[in-house]
Amino acid sequence: MEARAAQLRLCADGGANRVYDDMPLLLPHENAFDVRKRYKPDVIKGDMDSIRKEVLEFYANMGTKIIDESDDQDTTDLHKCVAYICDWAPDLDKSNLCILVAGALGGRFDHEIGNINVLCRFSTVRIILISDDCLIHLLPRTHCHEIHIQPTIEGPHCGLIPIGMPSGSTTTTGLQWDLAETEMKFGGLISTSNIVKGEKITVQSDSDLLWTINIKKQ
């Protein structure tokens, strides 16, 4: 989804620095001020310990809503942003809500784990964590999942990882190494370096799973 097509654009604290610095680099033939204004976030939310002063002032002057939650040190900035989105759209059917999170993977491992934990804490909301190399989202055990692959953009390498508890039984179709009522757990088998064979994958499990697939370099 193009950034301007999103219904709501949020930056989690220091993520605003990345948008401010990197968006003009993606459009080097355009005026940097115009690019930053066009792709400004609607909201910047977090404990404000990472955002630079000049970035904060620039976006505040552009009309971005600034929400300082430095008094809350028990939740991550991503948690704060997801909670804001859920409150912002209380009447929206959560099954139709999709939150794309750029920059949530890579860097410090504890930050990555904290972001993955947000998937579990908001398990009824579709949240996709995206990096330059892959995407991750949660497959709750409450549903049988049908995943449609876009082969020009993603794949073929993928993985299924139990989260929160071991899986006593996971069954898939559409993978090179399908699982058939397979037990998965840390310290035992987990499905890594698998390969998608077609454009539709099905997954059913008795535990929550993380689905991950590589993103192709464009």
Side-chain angles (χ1 to χ4, degrees):
M1 177 186 295
E2 185 181 352
R4 286 181 294 169
Q7 291 183 327
L8 185 67
R9 299 174 295 183
L10 279 80
C11 281
D13 194 3
N17 298 335
R18 293 286 301 276
V19 174
Y20 182 90
D21 293 339
D22 293 350
M23 286 306 301
L25 300 179
L26 296 176
L27 300 165
H29 301 298
E30 297 190 33
N31 179 273
F33 177 87
D34 292 339
V35 172
R36 288 171 176 143
K37 182 178 180 180
R38 187 190 318 154
Y39 291 100
K40 73 177 182 67
D42 300 307
V43 179
I44 298 173
K45 186 178 175 72
D47 55 17
M48 302 300 156
D49 63 344
S50 301
I51 187 171
R52 303 196 306 269
K53 181 180 178 181
E54 72 272 18
V55 175
L56 182 64
E57 290 177 351
F58 175 86
Y59 286 127
N61 290 334
M62 289 291 107
T64 295
K65 184 177 183 179
I66 309 298
I67 304 175
D68 184 344
E69 292 202 348
S70 54
D71 57 330
D72 176 9
Q73 294 298 312
D74 292 330
T75 60
T76 65
D77 288 334
L78 178 57
H79 184 286
K80 294 177 176 71
C81 286
V82 173
Y84 180 90
I85 294 170
C86 292
D87 291 341
W88 172 81
D91 300 325
L92 184 67
D93 183 355
K94 295 299 186 288
S95 65
N96 293 325
L97 177 64
C98 181
I99 302 174
L100 303 181
V101 185
L105 305 171
R108 280 174 45 186
F109 180 66
D110 60 329
H111 283 172
E112 286 189 313
I113 292 299
N115 291 336
I116 290 171
N117 187 51
V118 170
L119 302 183
C120 299
R121 297 191 69 171
F122 293 89
S123 61
T124 60
V125 180
R126 189 175 183 221
I127 305 170
I128 303 174
L129 309 183
I130 305 173
S131 74
D132 292 338
D133 302 307
C134 70
L135 63 82
I136 297 174
H137 62 87
L138 185 73
L139 303 180
R141 63 183 179 273
T142 52
H143 295 78
C144 179
H145 299 274
E146 190 173 283
I147 303 168
H148 294 272
I149 306 300
Q150 300 183 62
T152 60
I153 298 174
E154 57 187 342
H157 297 97
C158 64
L160 286 164
I161 303 163
I163 185 99
M165 59 183 286
S167 169
S169 177
T170 296
T171 298
T172 67
T173 65
L175 301 178
Q176 182 165 331
W177 295 284
D178 272 322
L179 306 174
E181 299 182 354
T182 303
E183 179 183 351
M184 292 196 296
K185 63 180 180 180
F186 281 94
L189 172 72
I190 58 174
S191 180
T192 61
S193 298
N194 213 325
I195 294 176
V196 297
K197 289 173 59 180
E199 297 186 10
K200 186 175 78 171
I201 311 298
T202 65
V203 181
Q204 187 163 15
S205 181
D206 62 355
S207 78
D208 294 344
L209 302 176
L210 294 176
W211 165 258
T212 182
I213 188 168
N214 73 285
I215 296 175
K216 294 179 177 179
K217 300 297 183 183
Q218 299 299 307

